[in-house]
Amino acid sequence: MAAKKKRTPHAQSDSWVVVAADSVIDAQKLDSDPAFVRLRNPSTDAASLYMLGAGDAQLYEVKAFEEDFRSWFVGQTVQRDGRLLFVTPMDPLFLILPYLIKAGKEGKFQPVDQIVMDEEFPVCSRLLSCTCSLASLHHIAEEKEAGSLKFHRYSQEKTMNWLKKKVERTVDALKKKNIYVGEGVKSTTFVRVKSESEYHEEDYLRYAHGLISEYISEELSKALLKHLQLPELTSPKETEPPSKKRKLSDKAVEAGEDYTKFNSADFARKPPKKMTAAQKTLAKVDKTGMKSMSSFFSPKVKTEKK
Amino acid sequence: MGRRRRSSCGAKHTELQNVSSSSVMDLGPFETDNSVSCRLASQIPDVCKTEDCCLGIDEAGRGPVLGPMVYGICFCPVSKKKELKDSKVADSKTLSEAERENLFQKLDEARSYVGWALQILSPNTISTSMLQRTKYNLNALSHDTAIGLVQYALDSGVQLKEVYVDTVGPADKYEAKLSQRFPGIEVTVRPKADSLFPIVSAASICAKVARDRVVKGWNFAEDMGEVDTDYGSGYPNDPKTKAWLLKHLDPVFGYPQFVRFSWSTAQTLMDSKAVTVHWDDDEEDGEKAAQRQHNKSMLSYFSASAGGNDQNPTHQTHRFLTERRLKSLCTL
């Protein structure tokens, strides 16, 4: 990976700061330039940005690191948008898969160039140019050859095995990269007391499954969970710390507080802790010598005395 | 030898940066990097290491929006107080620049029993202290600088018995703070101490002379092309200073480090004339923050659609990505 500061000579909004794999710009042999393309995101079913390498040889996904309060200084200019784009290699099968599944419902063997078609995203046919696309289709589809022609049909079984392998390889990568898979958020700089071995294999599997699910439909994600023999998490029991210990006593359960007071007339709601801007400015007003509003409604004790 | 003659000869000296007296106050260490705080000091007179001494503290350049704030200490044996008084050091504010230079010269001539030390707090130091996340206000900065200088004198072997300080903030509180910090030393904090105690006057002269010289010969670290050096007194109410601030405002960077960014004068001008910059510790009211684009409420991170631009509301981005603030894009 090499950091590339890409800047077009046009307006500022046309420039991005990108971290890209070296292979993206390694285009000596091929005549076409790498290009950003919009393709159907298999997980959300909506458009997402991808990149096709030179000669459509390799697919890359584009992810943006985006946080508030960030800007770039690029050369002698300031770029308001502080995003950092990552262009990372991606398996094109993930994007081809939804089309195969759709076509597979018809149950027929079809040529892939007829399967991978999308009116909304015509670019998708270029996915088949990727060097590994056709060669790896057998991971997710059954193949039939008739003369020089090849026909494919989606196979759920093969796909599940392929996805399982992906999950396993992700687990390996997670372990190798020391990625924290336990509950809650932890800083990467945080020194862990627990050694990695103490995390359950299931934690890793679940985490990796979640990551792979970013690239497949929800339906497929659920099927994969079953295939991995991971029970679906129905209650948040496992991810939340145990709540207060239950009291063990023989006494009858009674309310710890008198809740009826909330029904009485003198119960007034406490003002919200967070004040609006207007309230804040009002609170700052010098109130010395001012009567409180309630004083106008209280019985006039003093005047009666005199 | 009347004062008049001396002051007239001092006036000549102020014309030049490298007058003979500058050898006794070498500003070189500060001028090589005027973005940080810097200490300058005289030789410690031997007599100060053996006899009980008094020490005065004063500052110069507290109010200006331009240039450094200089803290000065001056010390001499208690037995020499009379001599110091006779040299007619007076509150630096009542003196002309020439008279101050002249008096500083006299202090230098008395170097056998008078010592001094200065802490030059660069405008950049002041800006960054006051504007950092945990705000460090000017009074705290002043107090700590004063304490640092007294400690320096003690560390150098000066037999301190009495310390006189012009007040910063409430006098009694400051006095208690210093007394506690330096047990065994009699601390006197008084408003207008610079006109009451000659040793404080001497300190004020040292501080003021250093500030004047630094401001006059300010080395701009920034490439500003032709810099207009006619910035007046540097006080916010000086029309020359205001004009200079207006002229040298950069829409992106604001000001050179010569300007104290924490001064409301500078801030108001930047707010109105420069590009708006948002920081994550900006205090903003809810509505204002919401108006600003790209701003997300804290709650959005906990809600179901943490993915941000995802059209599919049921889709929840995996925490590997959300924890790393990574998201898919649909357009560039």
Side-chain angles (χ1 to χ4, degrees):
Chain A
M1 291 282 221
K4 294 277 177 293
K5 275 181 188 167
K6 220 176 179 176
R7 229 160 56 80
T8 57
H10 311 297
Q12 284 189 357
S13 54
D14 282 350
S15 58
W16 331 281
V17 180
V18 182
V19 175
D22 279 329
S23 57
V24 177
I25 47 151
D26 183 27
Q28 290 127 325
K29 302 159 271 179
L30 303 144
D31 41 2
S32 70
D33 282 333
F36 284 111
V37 288
R38 272 155 65 91
L39 291 165
R40 194 182 290 281
N41 186 318
S43 157
T44 60
D45 204 36
S48 276
L49 199 68
Y50 296 88
M51 186 181 238
L52 280 166
D56 295 352
Q58 168 72 51
L59 175 74
Y60 300 91
E61 68 173 327
V62 181
K63 286 260 189 274
F65 171 79
E66 205 174 284
E67 263 190 330
D68 283 343
F69 313 107
R70 298 275 183 272
S71 292
W72 289 107
F73 282 105
V74 182
Q76 291 300 308
T77 61
V78 178
Q79 194 177 314
R80 189 185 187 142
D81 158 32
R83 284 190 309 189
L84 176 59
L85 301 186
F86 289 94
V87 176
T88 49
M90 181 182 172
D91 190 338
L93 275 198
F94 282 116
L95 294 193
I96 293 170
L97 189 56
Y99 296 107
L100 263 173
I101 292 175
K102 206 176 153 200
K105 285 183 179 139
E106 297 164 30
K108 285 185 289 187
F109 280 87
Q110 287 177 63
V112 269
D113 49 351
Q114 277 179 38
I115 296 172
V116 185
M117 282 201 297
D118 197 326
E119 274 178 26
E120 223 181 309
F121 303 100
V123 194
C124 73
S125 59
R126 281 165 70 181
L127 286 171
L128 297 170
S129 318
C130 293
T131 36
C132 63
S133 291
L134 294 175
S136 55
L137 269 177
H138 66 90
H139 287 304
I140 55 171
E142 292 167 65
E143 284 177 317
K144 253 186 194 172
E145 258 176 281
S148 62
L149 287 173
K150 260 190 182 175
F151 298 89
H152 290 87
R153 188 175 68 181
Y154 170 67
S155 159
Q156 173 94 3
E157 195 197 334
K158 279 185 158 191
T159 303
M160 281 301 130
N161 287 331
W162 174 69
L163 286 172
K164 193 184 174 192
K165 246 179 249 167
K166 288 269 183 206
V167 168
E168 283 161 359
R169 291 176 73 170
T170 307
V171 167
D172 288 344
L174 289 171
K175 285 179 178 169
K176 215 167 142 190
K177 292 276 174 193
N178 243 350
I179 308 266
Y180 176 77
V181 297
E183 295 108 36
V185 182
K186 266 194 187 166
S187 159
T188 42
T189 52
F190 189 82
V191 180
R192 288 191 264 289
V193 185
K194 257 183 165 186
S195 74
E196 290 305 305
S197 60
E198 281 176 68
Y199 294 115
H200 301 295
E201 197 63 22
E202 191 188 316
D203 287 338
Y204 276 107
L205 272 178
R206 224 174 254 290
Y207 196 94
H209 167 263
L211 256 181
I212 295 295
S213 299
E214 283 293 311
Y215 300 91
I216 53 178
S217 68
E218 208 187 327
E219 207 180 321
L220 217 50
S221 164
K222 277 182 184 158
L224 179 60
L225 203 62
K226 257 184 215 148
H227 188 70
L228 292 168
Q229 291 169 335
L230 287 171
E232 229 176 296
L233 289 178
T234 43
S235 71
K237 239 185 248 166
E238 286 177 62
T239 52
E240 268 177 29
S243 49
K244 276 182 201 167
K245 264 190 187 166
R246 216 167 288 162
K247 264 186 195 165
L248 294 171
S249 86
D250 302 330
K251 282 179 190 168
V253 180
E254 266 178 59
E257 236 182 302
D258 179 16
Y259 292 104
T260 53
K261 71 180 177 193
F262 294 112
N263 298 328
S264 64
D266 55 40
F267 167 70
R269 269 176 186 274
K270 277 181 190 164
K273 271 180 193 167
K274 188 97 182 171
M275 287 195 288
T276 66
Q279 283 173 316
K280 266 188 210 162
T281 35
L282 270 178
K284 280 178 201 156
V285 170
D286 184 10
K287 292 184 210 71
T288 45
M290 285 167 78
K291 265 189 181 179
S292 83
M293 190 65 107
S294 56
S295 70
F296 291 99
F297 300 99
S298 56
K300 292 170 188 169
V301 187
K302 276 183 183 173
T303 45
E304 274 175 353
K305 267 184 186 174
K306 276 180 185 176
Chain B
M1 281 202 271
R3 252 170 72 194
R4 190 164 275 259
R5 222 188 79 200
R6 274 214 198 89
S7 56
S8 63
C9 108
K12 260 182 239 152
H13 282 194
T14 54
E15 295 295 318
L16 298 157
Q17 186 60 28
N18 297 318
V19 287
S20 61
S21 61
S22 72
S23 61
V24 299
M25 190 199 277
D26 179 15
L27 293 166
F30 178 71
E31 280 168 350
T32 49
D33 181 5
N34 60 24
S35 67
V36 293
S37 176
C38 175
R39 180 185 294 143
L40 305 174
S42 71
Q43 285 261 310
I44 309 285
D46 287 336
V47 67
C48 291
K49 295 178 186 169
T50 51
E51 276 188 49
D52 285 357
C53 291
C54 61
L55 181 146
I57 311 177
D58 201 14
E59 106 260 89
R62 189 178 172 77
V65 62
L66 301 177
M69 180 162 87
V70 180
Y71 250 82
I73 56 166
C74 223
F75 48 88
C76 73
V78 175
S79 59
K80 298 281 187 183
K81 268 185 182 175
K82 178 86 175 52
E83 267 129 313
L84 194 68
K85 199 172 181 182
D86 290 345
S87 72
K88 301 220 166 49
V89 287
D91 172 12
S92 67
K93 287 183 209 83
T94 65
L95 303 168
S96 72
E97 192 173 341
E99 285 170 321
R100 282 194 300 265
E101 283 282 347
N102 185 34
L103 278 168
F104 181 70
Q105 195 77 39
K106 266 170 88 182
L107 285 172
D108 183 53
E109 280 160 20
R111 69 173 83 105
S112 62
Y113 64 92
V114 176
W116 52 264
L118 300 169
Q119 192 76 34
I120 306 178
L121 298 169
S122 71
N124 187 46
T125 306
I126 297 168
S127 305
T128 49
S129 299
M130 292 172 74
L131 296 173
Q132 68 191 349
R133 259 160 218 265
T134 35
K135 304 284 175 271
Y136 184 28
N137 73 37
L138 199 64
N139 276 7
L141 186 64
S142 297
H143 288 182
D144 291 347
T145 308
I147 288 168
L149 282 169
V150 173
Q151 191 62 51
Y152 162 77
L154 287 171
D155 292 346
S156 311
V158 178
Q159 298 299 306
L160 283 185
K161 285 292 168 296
E162 301 164 12
V163 167
Y164 300 93
V165 197
D166 200 350
T167 191
V168 171
D172 45 346
K173 264 193 189 166
Y174 192 20
E175 192 169 288
K177 186 176 178 179
L178 288 173
S179 301
Q180 199 197 12
R181 181 69 179 70
F182 299 108
I185 296 177
E186 195 192 317
V187 181
T188 312
V189 179
R190 280 291 151 71
K192 302 216 173 66
D194 50 352
S195 53
L196 294 171
F197 311 104
I199 197 69
V200 180
S201 310
S204 86
I205 285 161
C206 293
K208 189 81 170 117
V209 164
R211 163 148 168 110
D212 285 346
R213 291 192 191 173
V214 166
V215 169
K216 265 198 170 171
W218 187 263
N219 296 322
F220 285 91
E222 299 81 6
D223 180 13
M224 311 228 311
E226 289 259 314
V227 191
D228 180 4
T229 51
D230 188 19
Y231 27 69
S233 66
Y235 278 87
N237 56 4
D238 185 332
K240 267 189 176 174
T241 302
K242 266 212 145 154
W244 190 89
L245 285 172
L246 264 173
K247 193 178 162 190
H248 290 93
L249 176 70
D250 180 278
V252 172
F253 296 100
Y255 286 110
Q257 287 186 352
F258 185 48
V259 178
R260 299 182 192 174
F261 282 62
S262 45
W263 255 236
S264 64
T265 322
Q267 279 177 344
T268 314
L269 282 170
M270 285 191 288
D271 282 347
S272 60
K273 302 260 191 287
V275 172
T276 314
V277 178
H278 298 287
W279 300 96
D280 60 1
D281 60 342
D282 278 347
E283 269 182 46
E284 273 185 314
D285 295 323
E287 281 171 70
K288 226 169 140 190
Q291 272 177 8
R292 194 159 53 76
Q293 263 191 336
H294 297 303
N295 190 49
K296 268 178 275 173
S297 126
M298 193 61 165
L299 291 169
S300 72
Y301 292 102
F302 299 105
S303 64
S305 62
N309 62 352
D310 291 325
Q311 279 98 334
N312 187 348
T314 57
H315 177 76
Q316 193 172 354
T317 311
H318 190 252
R319 65 189 161 107
F320 177 87
L321 299 171
T322 51
E323 279 169 13
R324 285 159 182 77
R325 300 276 181 275
L326 289 171
K327 52 162 99 171
S328 298
L329 296 174
C330 51
T331 44
L332 262 185

